[in-house]
Amino acid sequence: MFVLTLRIALCLIVPFGAIFLLGAMPGVNLAWDFSNASGFIAGVLFLLLFAYTGRPLAQPRHDGKFFMVLHRDLGLVALAMLVVHVAVMLVDEPLVADQLSLCAPWPMVAGNVATLILLLLVPLSLASVRRRLWSTHRHFRRWHYAASV
């Protein structure tokens, strides 16, 4: 378990280390930088969710249920970090609300679409909802993978 925690922590720390080693720009203000950091952590967690899919791994030795719970919990933490990212951005700089339209630059539109897909994906992935919507787990898994990509 300790090794798994170190792996997750390393995945979250390495991108920040790369930014500092490459000479990041100085911060704007504390709230803006905190918001950007929380969004960056959410993005790294979403990438990490592709590694910990819910299937058992050879190391560390745990059953599949452990990794399903880990995948679910990492997804919820990533969602919370994304909500913090958006909320702090909107409160700290109200002009960011102008970037929520389809006329915004394409990276902002891509982030908005990804956020909407995520807000749809998380509630539909809950066990009680999932069992009512999909007849087999295989159908759900295909839909979940496609929406995640």
Side-chain angles (χ1 to χ4, degrees):
M1 186 67 171
F2 180 72
V3 173
L4 180 64
T5 305
L6 284 178
R7 285 182 191 172
I8 293 171
L10 186 64
C11 286
L12 292 174
I13 292 171
V14 166
F16 285 107
I19 288 173
F20 289 123
L21 289 176
L22 296 174
M25 295 179 63
V28 177
N29 68 28
L30 184 62
W32 185 264
D33 293 340
F34 173 74
S35 176
N36 282 322
S38 65
F40 197 65
I41 289 171
V44 172
L45 281 172
F46 290 131
L47 291 175
L48 188 62
L49 285 172
F50 282 99
Y52 294 119
T53 60
R55 294 184 182 181
L57 300 176
Q59 289 294 330
R61 291 186 140 301
H62 292 288
D63 61 348
K65 183 142 178 100
F66 171 81
F67 286 100
M68 287 186 342
V69 170
L70 176 67
H71 183 81
R72 181 198 66 205
D73 291 347
L74 285 177
L76 291 175
V77 169
L79 175 66
M81 296 305 290
L82 183 66
V83 167
V84 166
H85 169 70
V86 172
V88 173
M89 282 276 187
L90 290 173
V91 169
D92 184 52
E93 184 55 60
L95 292 175
V96 172
D98 296 340
Q99 302 294 322
L100 298 177
S101 70
L102 293 176
C103 300
W106 71 267
M108 294 298 291
V109 173
N112 295 338
V113 170
T115 301
L116 291 175
I117 291 172
L118 176 70
L119 291 176
L120 177 70
L121 189 67
V122 169
L124 293 179
S125 298
L126 297 174
S128 59
V129 176
R130 182 180 68 223
R131 289 185 187 119
R132 280 187 264 149
L133 292 177
W134 289 277
S135 58
T136 65
H137 186 70
R138 185 178 51 192
H139 291 130
F140 163 74
R141 194 172 58 225
R142 285 182 187 159
W143 175 85
H144 190 75
Y145 283 157
S148 297
V149 170

